[in-house]
């Protein structure tokens, strides 16, 4: 899900007016993770479109999956005196210093999609995003249900997301919490695929070479799962049959693979949170109270459900 590349600085601003725009528009600085997946591209497009619809002047930066680029962009937004800063943190740790700078500048912060692990929750007004632990649990529960009548051991490999990121940490812990209750499930290999298709293929190729008996793949996003499918087919195996595949996101390409039977189950992670973000931005700029946690609505998909919704899928 096309890159919104930003050059070496990681700061590619959209919108012309400075902070506290003279035309009365709210100015939002948004520091995006990057364009590492179809999900992220859909998320970016939705935020850009809904900002325009809401009459919000959006200054956008693409961090190219580097925390230092996001921090640089946030400091740039402070200098520009924007009205609100929103960002989806590349990793969970290491934000306190820059967030305190934002707080000192009296600019409200909204976290989107991913959380930070700061103990000081006053550093941001709200966190809008998915419950990644719950997504991992949904993936694990589907697997447990599939094998409930089997006594045989089940060998699982896991393609984790970007190391240190909230979705990688939480999807892993949620999934493992469910499957560890049954001793027949064995996670025999687990490694980061950086949420990208290319890395997913590369890591899956390595898994297949070192572990000839893989029954299940749990990939933390569709893109890594799609890359893994290439590796599985390259090894002469049939994805979805020889190796059952579970992924997260429910992007169009992932849903097509599910409809085709190459993926067996997808846990949705909805990237279309722009409208909610703009509503929250207006409230925090106006000094209104907002919930500290806003969870996006999501579901899961089987092959038949994917076939049904694919024609109307927006991402």
């Amino acid at each position: 899900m096309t890159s919104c590349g930003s050059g070496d600085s990681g700061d590619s601003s959209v919108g012309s007016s400075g902070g506290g725009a003279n035309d009365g528009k709210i100015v939002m600085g948004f520091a995006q993770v990057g364009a590492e997946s179809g999900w992220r591209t859909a998320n970016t497009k939705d935020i850009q479109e809904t900002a325009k619809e809401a009459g919000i002047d959006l200054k956008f930066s693409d961090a190219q999956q580097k925390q230092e680029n996001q921090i640089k962009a946030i400091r740039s937004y402070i200098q520009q005196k924007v009205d609100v800063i929103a960002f989806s943190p590349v990793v969970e740790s290491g934000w306190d210093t820059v967030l305190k700078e934002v707080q000192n500048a009296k600019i409200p912060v909204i976290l989107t999609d991913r959380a930070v692990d700061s103990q000081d929750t006053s550093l941001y007004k709200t966190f809008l995003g998915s419950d990644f632990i719950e997504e991992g649990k949904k993936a694990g529960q589907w697997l447990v249900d599939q094998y409930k009548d089997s006594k045989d051991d089940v060998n699982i490999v896991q393609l984790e997301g970007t190391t240190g990121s909230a979705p990688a940490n939480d999807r892993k812990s949620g999934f493992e919490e469910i499957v560890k209750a049954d001793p027949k499930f064995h996670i025999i290999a687990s490694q980061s695929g950086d949420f990208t298709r290319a890395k997913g293929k590369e890591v899956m190729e390595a898994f297949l070479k070192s572990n000839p008996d893989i029954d299940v793949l749990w990939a933390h996003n569709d893109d890594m799962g799609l890359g893994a499918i290439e590796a599985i087919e390259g090894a002469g195996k049939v994805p979805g049959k020889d190796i059952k595949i579970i992924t997260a996101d429910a992007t169009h390409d992932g849903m097509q693979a599910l409809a085709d039977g190459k993926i067996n189950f997808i846990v949705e992670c909805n990237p279309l949170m722009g409208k909610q973000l703009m509503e929250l931005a207006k409230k925090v700029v106006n000094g209104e109270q907002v919930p500290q946690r806003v969870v996006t609505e999501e579901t899961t998909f089987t092959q038949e459900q994917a076939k049904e919704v694919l024609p109307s899928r927006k991402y």
Side-chain angles (χ1 to χ4, degrees):
M1 295 173 120
T2 100
S3 170
C4 301
S6 58
D8 294 336
S9 70
D11 185 8
S12 121
S13 296
V14 175
S16 55
S17 52
N22 295 329
D23 57 6
K25 274 188 176 184
I26 290 172
V27 181
M28 174 190 286
F30 188 89
Q32 182 62 286
V33 172
E36 76 282 2
S37 63
W39 189 99
R40 186 66 56 193
T41 303
N43 178 243
T44 290
K45 185 181 177 195
D46 185 56
I47 287 166
Q48 290 172 330
E49 289 177 350
T50 54
K52 191 176 290 184
E53 289 165 9
I56 289 176
D57 186 355
L58 183 70
K59 296 189 176 296
F60 181 88
S61 64
D62 175 345
Q64 301 171 339
Q65 289 186 278
K66 293 177 182 174
Q67 183 178 29
E68 59 267 31
N69 287 346
Q70 279 194 314
I71 291 171
K72 184 177 179 182
I74 291 167
R75 286 185 171 138
S76 167
Y77 297 146
I78 296 171
Q79 290 174 346
Q80 294 176 63
K81 296 185 171 65
V82 300
D83 298 304
V84 58
I85 291 173
F87 74 109
S88 180
V90 175
V91 293
E92 286 188 291
S93 302
W95 298 102
D96 282 33
T97 300
V98 73
L99 287 179
K100 280 173 182 159
E101 292 171 23
V102 180
Q103 190 177 61
N104 291 338
K106 296 184 169 50
I107 300 171
V109 170
I110 300 172
L111 303 178
T112 69
D113 174 42
R114 300 179 179 185
V116 298
D117 64 4
S118 173
Q119 297 302 304
D120 185 357
T121 55
S122 74
L123 294 174
Y124 55 92
K125 295 294 184 184
T126 185
F127 164 39
L128 165 66
S130 305
D131 185 335
F132 299 128
I133 292 176
E134 185 59 29
E135 289 173 0
K137 285 181 177 179
K138 288 176 182 175
Q141 192 57 55
W142 179 85
L143 185 61
V144 168
D145 293 344
Q146 289 297 300
Y147 286 92
K148 66 178 184 294
D149 298 324
S150 174
K151 299 285 191 289
D152 297 334
D153 285 353
V154 179
N155 291 330
I156 305 163
V157 295
Q158 183 171 220
L159 279 169
E160 300 175 33
T162 303
T163 302
S165 69
N169 293 344
D170 292 352
R171 285 175 184 158
K172 181 179 181 182
S173 65
F175 179 80
E176 291 179 1
E177 181 183 331
I178 299 297
V179 301
K180 74 179 181 185
D182 189 330
K184 72 169 171 267
F185 292 108
H186 306 278
I187 298 175
I188 57 173
S190 188
Q191 188 177 326
S192 173
D194 251 355
F195 284 127
T196 68
R197 201 173 297 201
K199 190 72 172 176
K201 180 181 180 183
E202 178 188 319
V203 176
M204 191 67 197
E205 285 171 345
F207 283 167
L208 287 161
K209 284 175 186 170
S210 55
N211 304 283
D213 298 317
I214 297 171
D215 300 305
V216 177
L217 163 66
W218 161 224
H220 287 186
N221 78 341
D222 293 342
D223 282 78
M224 290 189 296
L226 292 165
I229 286 170
E230 294 179 38
I232 291 165
E233 290 176 334
K237 294 179 183 287
V238 181
K241 292 183 180 175
D242 296 334
I243 298 175
K244 292 195 183 303
I245 300 174
I246 311 165
T247 66
D249 277 359
T251 60
H252 192 278
D253 287 355
M255 294 284 276
Q256 186 63 61
L258 177 58
D260 294 340
K262 294 185 178 185
I263 291 175
N264 303 85
F265 187 69
I266 295 180
V267 180
E268 184 181 39
C269 183
N270 186 356
L272 307 180
M273 58 183 77
K275 186 178 178 184
Q276 284 176 286
L277 174 60
M278 301 312 149
E279 289 170 356
L280 288 167
K282 288 178 179 180
K283 286 179 178 177
V284 299
V285 168
N286 289 330
E288 296 177 39
Q289 288 295 312
V290 295
Q292 193 159 46
R293 180 73 171 95
V294 181
V295 180
T296 49
E297 290 185 12
E298 293 160 347
T299 186
T300 59
F301 295 98
T302 60
Q303 183 178 22
E304 289 310 310
Q305 289 167 330
K307 287 178 181 175
E308 191 177 325
V309 304
L310 255 175
S312 60
R313 204 73 181 147
K314 289 186 177 178
Y315 63 95

